[in-house]
Amino acid sequence: MPGKAKIVLLNGAGSAGKTSIAKAIQARASSIFLHVQMDAFLDMMPQRTLGKPEGLTFEMVERDGKPFVILTSGPELERTLRGMRHAIAAMAEQGCHMVIDDVMIDDTSAEYRTLLAPYDFHMVGVFAPLDVLERRERNRGDRALGLARSQFDIVHRGRTYDLEIDSSSATADECAAAIVRAFAL
């Protein structure tokens, strides 16, 4: 019989440091934690669905003289992301410990809380000031400029977290240490 799964969900805008923190949690935790990335599920979508209404559309605009990306998720992408949440619950049922790397731009936190209620589940808000996110976004070179700006005001709206961390004032390893300590991982 598998043990009770421990699950930590990291939510924050793009370039907040979620992936680096997740990898640091994997290195620090006393148990094996799988890193489940929303981006991996996005990558499962066929290339032909990018820029199409059924998949994911990116509209590059300018707001207040700054780049801004308007993302629209179509029904196929929504189905995929619902499937991701249910796959996470199925893995938890098997006793898999996980650190989830997500960008919640709609009210998916309620579904996560319902699906993962039987487990040792914790939501962590990963915060950083917009100027820091935009600098990281530029330095990364693998993200559309304006993505962090478009997510900044909505990714944490209406969310209740078990822990909030500021990735601009601590390293990924320090953030991970705080998470591991807070939830006895």
Side-chain angles (χ1 to χ4, degrees):
M1 192 77 181
K4 187 174 186 178
K6 295 179 180 185
I7 306 160
V8 174
L9 186 146
L10 305 175
N11 180 50
S15 300
K18 298 178 303 296
T19 298
S20 297
I21 294 167
K23 291 182 182 310
I25 289 170
Q26 286 182 304
R28 284 186 159 271
S30 61
S31 299
I32 302 296
F33 273 75
L34 304 176
H35 180 198
V36 181
Q37 294 179 280
M38 179 186 74
D39 287 351
F41 283 80
L42 294 175
D43 288 344
M44 290 180 195
M45 294 289 293
Q47 191 69 27
R48 65 184 167 84
T49 63
L50 287 178
K52 302 289 192 232
E54 66 271 14
L56 179 64
T57 60
F58 289 78
E59 182 183 354
M60 304 295 290
V61 298
E62 195 173 288
R63 290 207 179 148
D64 301 322
K66 302 274 188 175
F68 191 90
V69 178
I70 298 173
L71 293 173
T72 306
S73 299
E76 290 300 322
L77 179 58
E78 290 298 323
R79 181 188 353 243
T80 299
L81 295 177
R82 271 192 317 277
M84 176 188 81
R85 294 185 289 277
H86 285 266
I88 288 166
M91 292 178 73
E93 178 67 25
Q94 296 306 307
C96 296
H97 303 307
M98 291 170 276
V99 57
I100 304 163
D101 177 342
D102 203 340
V103 179
M104 292 190 280
I105 56 174
D106 54 19
D107 192 27
T108 57
S109 59
E111 185 175 22
Y112 270 121
R113 288 205 185 272
T114 299
L115 289 170
L116 302 177
Y119 310 104
D120 187 6
F121 174 61
H122 303 282
M123 282 183 53
V124 176
V126 181
F127 292 82
L130 182 57
D131 63 320
V132 171
L133 296 174
E134 289 180 324
R135 184 178 65 248
R136 290 175 181 172
E137 190 174 67
R138 278 190 306 276
N139 291 342
R140 286 176 67 153
D142 67 345
R143 295 289 162 104
L145 294 180
L147 191 58
R149 179 173 287 273
S150 70
Q151 297 168 348
F152 186 76
D153 287 331
I154 59 173
V155 73
H156 298 296
R157 186 184 308 146
R159 309 261 184 258
T160 302
Y161 294 112
D162 301 305
L163 180 67
E164 294 182 3
I165 56 174
D166 181 348
S167 67
S168 70
S169 62
T171 66
D173 192 55
E174 291 167 339
C175 292
I179 293 166
V180 168
R181 191 172 43 254
F183 306 126
L185 306 179

